[in-house]
Amino acid sequence: MIRLLLPIAALLCGIALLLLGTGLLNTLLALRGSAEQFSDQTLGLLGSAYFAGFILGTWLCPRLIRRMGHVRAFTFLAAAEAACVLIHLLWIQPGLWLLLRVITGVALVGIYTVIESWLNTQAPPERRGQVFACYMAVNLGALALAQQMLNWDSPLTFTLFAVAATFIVLAVMPVSATRLSQPVIQDTPPLSMQRLWQAAPVACAGAVLSGLGMGGFWGLGAVYAARMEMDTAQIAGFVSLVILAGALAQWPMGRLSDSIDRRRALAIIAGVAAMGGVLMALLGPFGLWLLVGAAIFGAGSFSVYPAVVAHLIDHLHQEDILSGNAALLMLHGLGAAVGPALAGALMGITAAQALPLFFALMFSLIAAYALRQLRLGGDRIVDGAAHQVPMVRTSTAVLEMMLEEASGQDVPNSNTDDADGQEVVRAEPEQQNGDDAHDVGNRP
């Protein structure tokens, strides 16, 4: 493992430093905006603007990277994000902050694209799954650790903004110093939404609804905790707990998803997330008891999108997997862009408890639709059952690593010669029940 990670240590170090700064900033802005008397609707729009920038960046950044090269593009985008962090302090105005959040979203998805495309071409084909797992661990670990830096000072001072900007600037150092050869960014061919819906309607609905729920959490989770009269240290613990619970639940939830009908598993996982939302709403007034609901919510919510991806892979032929998952990622991003604004409006009209109830509603709808589709008949797998792997929403550049692990096959990599001509073999289910080998309505 050490031999595998040493060549890419600079890339992993760069993304860890970047996410320490970005993870701190995301929570810090919610707390500072709340302290500046921004309305819940405005705070929700800030979260939506960030994800809108994410979507815009998926179109803009590959062109930028081709023009500049990976190192210069990373430096350019990190400088833009660091500048945005500091500008927040110079002019505390909602309109300007909305623009800064869009720019930050564009910059971050570009940085993800740089790192992930690099990792994908540097990892040996037979080890891409391990590299992907390490990358996801770095992602979630850095995001959770970033919350603890909120304890260093008050959100009303400049200190935490300076710390966030410093980490983002430091991220440039290991990446600019690397001697790794730079890959070529390739376009992912599109797959129409109509074909995607026809292939796996549960996956499409799950992607949008989980995006709505998770966008609401990333945009307003810290605001909700503050409304529950938590201090800064408790808010940091609250957000970290949700992330860590989600990370720790990936393995058991993945086992569940791979062992029974995927729609039933998705209904159970989404049901856990919905139950967590209800408990958060009920236990919110009781202080730290809120953390019980937060842990349950994190365990379920972070596992929904990986289950959705695995369900989609079950229903696509090999040549459509990459483009199908890129389209699914876009659906998830659209939901994440709308979620904070919608949840913020509900919080402004009613009360802070509207946020966890919003979570409960979104994930309950996923569970209900999955169960409805389950009643319509057996689930017909196209080529073979996929395996669920942990993932968070980053960029389409990471899809090849994730899909190779999830589909149990060597996904051809257009950026390297080693993958050319490889035979693609999808993982077969360990056991088949019934006459139809592709009917997993009774999957063991």
Side-chain angles (χ1 to χ4, degrees):
M1 179 61 73
I2 294 178
R3 289 184 178 180
L4 177 66
L5 295 181
L6 275 179
I8 59 173
L11 303 180
L12 295 177
C13 182
I15 197 66
L17 289 168
L18 180 95
L19 289 178
L20 284 172
T22 302
L24 172 60
L25 176 67
N26 290 343
T27 307
L28 177 59
L29 288 180
L31 298 180
R32 181 61 180 266
S34 181
E36 297 289 346
Q37 305 301 312
F38 288 5
S39 67
D40 289 337
Q41 294 94 325
T42 299
L43 293 171
L45 286 173
L46 290 175
S48 292
Y50 172 75
F51 287 107
F54 227 94
I55 296 172
L56 180 61
T58 61
W59 178 73
L60 290 175
C61 290
R63 295 167 172 80
L64 180 72
I65 297 168
R66 290 190 195 101
R67 178 180 178 179
M68 291 185 169
H70 280 60
V71 171
R72 287 193 293 173
F74 186 98
T75 304
F76 178 86
L77 294 168
E81 185 176 354
C84 286
V85 173
L86 298 176
I87 294 172
H88 283 95
L89 279 175
L90 298 179
W91 294 281
I92 304 176
Q93 299 175 0
L96 178 62
W97 279 28
L98 285 171
L99 176 60
L100 293 174
R101 293 306 283 158
V102 172
I103 296 173
T104 300
V106 171
L108 189 60
V109 77
I111 291 170
Y112 277 140
T113 302
V114 168
I115 295 294
E116 291 167 2
S117 60
W118 226 335
L119 287 174
N120 191 32
T121 57
Q122 290 298 320
E126 69 278 6
R127 294 293 186 93
R128 286 200 191 110
Q130 295 177 44
V131 170
F132 176 80
C134 292
Y135 176 68
M136 288 298 103
V138 168
N139 262 262
L140 294 174
L143 289 172
L145 181 59
Q147 311 309 313
Q148 301 308 309
M149 290 188 287
L150 290 169
N151 297 317
W152 288 1
D153 207 345
S154 168
L156 294 174
T157 68
F158 76 97
T159 305
L160 294 178
F161 286 90
V163 169
T166 299
F167 274 113
I168 294 168
V169 172
L170 288 175
V172 174
M173 297 175 66
V175 175
S176 61
T178 185
R179 301 170 72 177
L180 295 175
S181 59
Q182 300 185 40
V184 176
I185 298 291
Q186 301 289 343
D187 288 323
T188 301
L191 184 70
S192 71
M193 292 299 173
Q194 181 180 3
R195 285 186 59 196
L196 198 68
W197 179 267
Q198 291 172 346
V202 173
C204 294
V208 174
L209 291 169
S210 65
L212 286 164
M214 295 309 294
F217 167 73
W218 290 117
L220 293 166
V223 177
Y224 167 74
R227 297 286 190 272
M228 294 296 101
E229 300 183 351
M230 290 187 178
D231 59 28
T232 302
Q234 292 169 337
I235 293 171
F238 168 81
V239 178
S240 294
L241 177 64
V242 174
I243 297 171
L244 291 175
L248 293 174
Q250 293 295 315
W251 184 80
M253 293 297 188
R255 289 279 300 223
L256 174 68
S257 174
D258 292 341
S259 62
I260 62 176
D261 188 298
R262 195 88 65 186
R263 296 165 299 176
R264 190 185 304 276
L266 185 57
I268 294 171
I269 295 169
V272 171
M275 182 176 65
V278 171
L279 288 176
M280 286 170 63
L282 294 176
L283 298 176
F286 298 98
L288 293 180
W289 282 102
L290 170 62
L291 299 181
V292 175
I296 296 173
F297 169 73
S301 62
F302 274 77
S303 301
V304 169
Y305 186 66
V308 164
V309 171
H311 180 69
L312 178 68
I313 295 173
D314 287 342
H315 295 82
L316 292 179
H317 292 288
Q318 187 275 332
E319 63 270 16
D320 292 327
I321 288 178
L322 193 61
S323 56
N325 277 273
L328 196 72
L329 202 59
M330 183 63 68
L331 287 177
H332 186 73
L334 289 171
V338 175
L342 182 56
L346 292 174
M347 289 175 68
I349 295 171
T350 56
Q353 266 81 5
L355 183 65
L357 291 176
F358 176 78
F359 297 156
L361 175 61
M362 294 302 105
F363 288 104
S364 293
L365 289 174
I366 296 174
Y369 188 67
L371 289 174
R372 178 183 179 276
Q373 292 297 107
L374 181 65
R375 295 191 186 98
L376 294 180
D379 197 16
R380 300 184 65 83
I381 292 178
V382 172
D383 289 330
H387 300 294
Q388 178 172 325
V389 297
M391 79 169 294
V392 293
R393 189 185 193 284
T394 53
S395 78
T396 56
V398 80
L399 287 175
E400 288 185 23
M401 282 192 295
M402 183 275 295
L403 294 178
E404 181 177 342
E405 182 76 1
S407 60
Q409 59 181 293
D410 293 329
V411 177
N413 183 350
S414 58
N415 298 330
T416 61
D417 295 331
D418 294 340
D420 292 344
Q422 288 181 337
E423 181 181 1
V424 176
V425 181
R426 191 187 285 258
E428 294 296 331
E430 294 180 1
Q431 179 179 349
Q432 299 288 354
N433 288 338
D435 297 330
D436 190 341
H438 296 296
D439 187 342
V440 295
N442 297 313
R443 183 191 296 175

